[in-house]
Amino acid sequence: MKIGVIGGGQLGRMLSLAGTPLGMNFAFLDPAPDACAQALGEHIRADYADQDHLRQLAEEVDLVTFEFESVPAETVAFLSQFVPVYPSAEALRIARDRWFEKSMFKDLGIPTPAFADIQSQADLDAAAASIGLPAVLKTRTLGYDGKGQKVLRAASDVAGAFAELGSVPCILEGFVPFTGEVSLVAVRARDGETRFYPLVHNTHDNGILRLSIASSGHPLQALAEDYVGRVLDKLDYVGVLAFEFFEVDGGLKANEIAPRVHNSGHWTIEGAECSQFENHLRAVAGLPLGSTAKVGESAMLNFIGEVPPVAEVLAIADCHLHHYGKAFKAGRKVGHATLRSADLPTLKARIAEVEALIGKC
Amino acid sequence: MKIGVIGGGQLGRMLSLAGTPLGMNFAFLDPAPDACAQALGEHIRADYADQDHLRQLAEEVDLVTFEFESVPAETVAFLSQFVPVYPSAEALRIARDRWFEKSMFKDLGIPTPAFADIQSQADLDAAAASIGLPAVLKTRTLGYDGKGQKVLRAASDVAGAFAELGSVPCILEGFVPFTGEVSLVAVRARDGETRFYPLVHNTHDNGILRLSIASSGHPLQALAEDYVGRVLDKLDYVGVLAFEFFEVDGGLKANEIAPRVHNSGHWTIEGAECSQFENHLRAVAGLPLGSTAKVGESAMLNFIGEVPPVAEVLAIADCHLHHYGKAFKAGRKVGHATLRSADLPTLKARIAEVEALIGKC
């Protein structure tokens, strides 16, 4: 079976590492000449709107999936004429737009911060007054890793903020005094079977995920599964989906979904029986899902900007390196380490060891 | 770091799957147009004696390693002029020739079945008389998976046997009434640090490995480590080496070594903290070795001739599929499954499930 992937970055790379042992081959459509997945599959170097190359991809593969959600709707619609596409165009339409996404949460009874659609500075002024400050202004589409957003703390931040984000459709979200950020990675098969990984505690730096720690017996696991299950069923979703929540007053408020394998699920490569990458491929290929159970205690640390010296990373016990083969650049995710330890105190000691290496970078 | 591999079969493929996350790239030199590792690296399609292409490989890579031990000595010598080669030419010279191999065991005080060098039918007649029957006649080089050997049970089997195996240099080995076959996979770093995986119980069918089960606290572990350590130090070995033993009267008799990652170590991908493939690459690249400790109870079953339907393999709990992407052909290793279970009774139940699928092939 040959799988087409829109995007050829590290997620595509890890999909191929998981799928090749299942007998799958991969083709990645990505305009970047140095797309790092190309070491592990065919690279169709083309723009995401290039219909000739989309057609070529569709003809070569058995199905198409995505590495990122900001794929133009036209690309998905075009491909869907020729080849099965998972997740569906509808799932991508919702997930790529914060307004559609938050509105869906509301319709499904999933708590979420107060939010308002912002099409102008006047909309923003009105919403800031009704929602109150602090609040976060975010572009409806194309935001990631803290990009395309601005925290509004005082009236002076509100003035001109719509233009600062490019005068594009935005959403204003009430600031949530959260005690923690967690995500739930789930997978849903073509037949509707759904499995959930354990909730993961996430720590961000400047909007970029830095550390994820997989939980055991988290008191909010069942609640999170209920919320995520509602979304998966609503979208008749196929594949892996990640759902980020704020922990607020012992409950959860929905932040956002990612209709794809997700950075907060990278720990599953070593830390779960079957990784998010393999489970995504099993789901889209119509194969039985794998176990989402944990193997030991597990955490993931991102390498941002550069990977510490490989020999030093590998010298840390319980440590598994994932080097993406990308050029080093400030703010860029270029690798991660998964730690898998027998118990939590050991895991925490190992996290400190990796953090010390990152600090030396 | 770019690694050159002589041979581009499933071992090369699994080396790349292990090394790519370490930031390594791969080039495989293999004459086969359909070498299955080419999905995961550059394929230099050339004969093993083709000096132009060997030179090209040497220029492209940082070091060279091997997927199989029957590499011509001239190939190794040629490459060694330009690029580091691990394991060394001397290790390959010994390991590829059963006479040198057995003589080394004897020199190092490692028990081995009685053996004799056979250069003619007259040598064979004399050796059969002194060693006794049954005995096994094997070509000194190029044998694998039970090929290039003949069991001699009666005098009538001895007559003409030398010609039957092609009138090439052979070795006659006394038949050992073994109670089991075990192997020890070890890894030795450039600085001499050595680590051992747990002993593995192996079951063969017609000379082809069928099932490997990793042991826990095997009473012969320390003895096996002693024997294997002698060989590793003698050869100043760098990389993974597998050592196959017969279990005889509660002790061990040396059968043979393989100077490479080995089929009886495939279970380590999921069943050990750091796989034999990653540890081989760590060793040859001069990186710190990884832990050889087991993760749960583990076994490996080979898929020979064909891979059962993927959906049925993946439906088995605790089961991890490794499809080599090779054309199916009787007697050919085309994939394997690793089982990793919490306890031995569960593992045995899972083995039976996979065996039932193989039986349906």
Side-chain angles (χ1 to χ4, degrees), chain A residues 13 16-17 20-23 25 39-41 272-274 278 282 287-289 295 310-311 314-315 319-323 340, chain B residues 13 16-17 20-23 25 39-41 272-273 278 282 287-289 295 310-311 314-315 319-323 340:
Chain A
R13 190 172 155 106
S16 179
L17 287 168
T20 300
L22 305 185
N25 294 307
L40 302 170
E273 289 291 351
C274 181
E278 182 172 337
R282 288 183 181 221
L287 295 165
L289 299 182
V295 180
V310 169
L314 297 184
C319 187
H320 301 268
L321 171 62
H322 297 264
H323 191 304
R340 181 179 62 190
Chain B
R13 189 171 156 106
S16 179
L17 287 169
T20 300
L22 305 185
N25 294 307
L40 301 171
E273 289 292 351
E278 182 172 337
R282 288 182 180 221
L287 295 165
L289 299 182
V295 180
V310 168
L314 297 184
C319 186
H320 301 267
L321 171 63
H322 297 264
H323 191 303
R340 181 179 62 188

Side-chain angles (χ1 to χ4, degrees), chain A:
Chain A
M1 180 176 287
K2 189 163 180 180
I3 311 285
V5 184
I6 304 296
Q10 66 265 24
L11 301 182
R13 190 172 155 106
M14 290 185 272
L15 282 169
S16 179
L17 287 168
T20 300
L22 305 185
M24 296 171 175
N25 294 307
F26 290 82
F28 303 97
L29 189 138
D30 193 313
D34 59 348
C36 71
Q38 69 188 282
L40 302 170
E42 180 188 355
H43 181 201
I44 299 176
R45 189 180 162 194
D47 190 80
Y48 299 121
D50 176 339
Q51 294 199 346
D52 287 345
H53 285 96
L54 289 172
R55 187 71 189 259
Q56 179 198 335
L57 178 73
E59 279 169 6
E60 280 186 18
V61 304
D62 296 292
L63 62 89
V64 169
T65 188
F66 300 89
E67 233 216 355
F68 64 109
E69 57 270 36
S70 305
V71 181
E74 302 72 29
T75 301
V76 183
F78 182 80
L79 284 168
S80 299
Q81 300 173 79
F82 310 110
V83 66
V85 175
Y86 301 107
S88 68
E90 174 62 5
L92 286 169
R93 187 185 71 83
I94 302 285
R96 64 198 292 274
D97 185 306
R98 294 183 192 280
W99 170 255
F100 295 152
E101 187 183 40
K102 287 280 196 304
S103 300
M104 177 182 66
F105 298 157
K106 196 173 171 187
D107 291 346
L108 293 173
I110 302 170
T112 188
F115 65 98
D117 188 26
I118 307 296
Q119 301 284 343
S120 65
Q121 182 66 38
D123 283 352
L124 177 57
D125 293 338
S130 79
I131 289 175
L133 298 184
V136 189
L137 184 67
K138 300 176 176 177
T139 58
R140 277 177 53 168
T141 63
L142 298 172
Y144 70 100
D145 285 352
K147 291 173 189 168
Q149 57 182 268
K150 181 176 160 65
V151 180
L152 311 180
R153 299 187 187 280
S156 58
D157 295 332
V158 177
F162 184 69
E164 268 182 67
L165 286 190
S167 299
V168 295
C170 284
I171 188 172
L172 186 72
E173 295 179 12
F175 188 81
V176 176
F178 59 85
T179 53
E181 292 177 275
V182 294
S183 59
L184 191 74
V185 174
V187 59
R188 188 169 180 274
R190 288 194 198 165
D191 66 3
E193 187 192 353
T194 302
R195 296 190 181 186
F196 303 93
Y197 289 95
L199 270 170
V200 174
H201 287 275
N202 299 317
T203 308
H204 293 81
D205 257 358
N206 295 318
I208 304 182
L209 183 66
R210 190 176 63 78
L211 169 66
S212 293
I213 305 178
S215 66
S216 294
H218 195 293
L220 296 171
Q221 180 78 26
L223 183 65
E225 291 187 8
D226 174 26
Y227 292 160
V228 177
R230 292 183 207 180
V231 167
L232 292 170
D233 290 341
K234 169 75 179 172
L235 297 173
D236 192 16
Y237 194 87
V238 176
V240 159
L241 177 140
F243 201 132
E244 294 186 75
F245 294 97
F246 299 116
E247 278 190 274
V248 182
D249 295 333
L252 296 171
K253 290 205 176 189
N255 180 16
E256 62 182 20
I257 56 174
R260 54 172 168 79
V261 289
H262 189 257
N263 198 169
S264 71
H266 290 358
W267 65 275
T268 61
I269 296 176
E270 292 86 9
E273 289 291 351
C274 181
S275 77
Q276 66 166 348
F277 299 98
E278 182 172 337
N279 255 330
H280 181 72
L281 293 166
R282 288 183 181 221
V284 299
L287 295 165
L289 299 182
S291 168
T292 51
K294 271 171 73 184
V295 180
E297 299 297 335
S298 193
M300 188 262 352
L301 292 103
N302 268 337
F303 295 134
I304 298 162
E306 61 185 293
V307 175
V310 169
E312 295 185 39
V313 178
L314 297 184
I316 296 174
D318 303 341
C319 187
H320 301 268
L321 171 62
H322 297 264
H323 191 304
Y324 303 155
K326 293 160 72 172
F328 295 169
K329 187 179 155 191
R332 193 180 203 196
K333 292 174 179 172
V334 292
H336 75 266
T338 303
L339 298 169
R340 181 179 62 190
S341 298
D343 54 70
L344 214 50
T346 307
L347 183 73
K348 291 192 169 166
R350 301 290 183 241
I351 290 172
E353 290 180 60
V354 177
E355 283 179 334
L357 279 188
I358 292 172
K360 286 201 303 189
C361 277

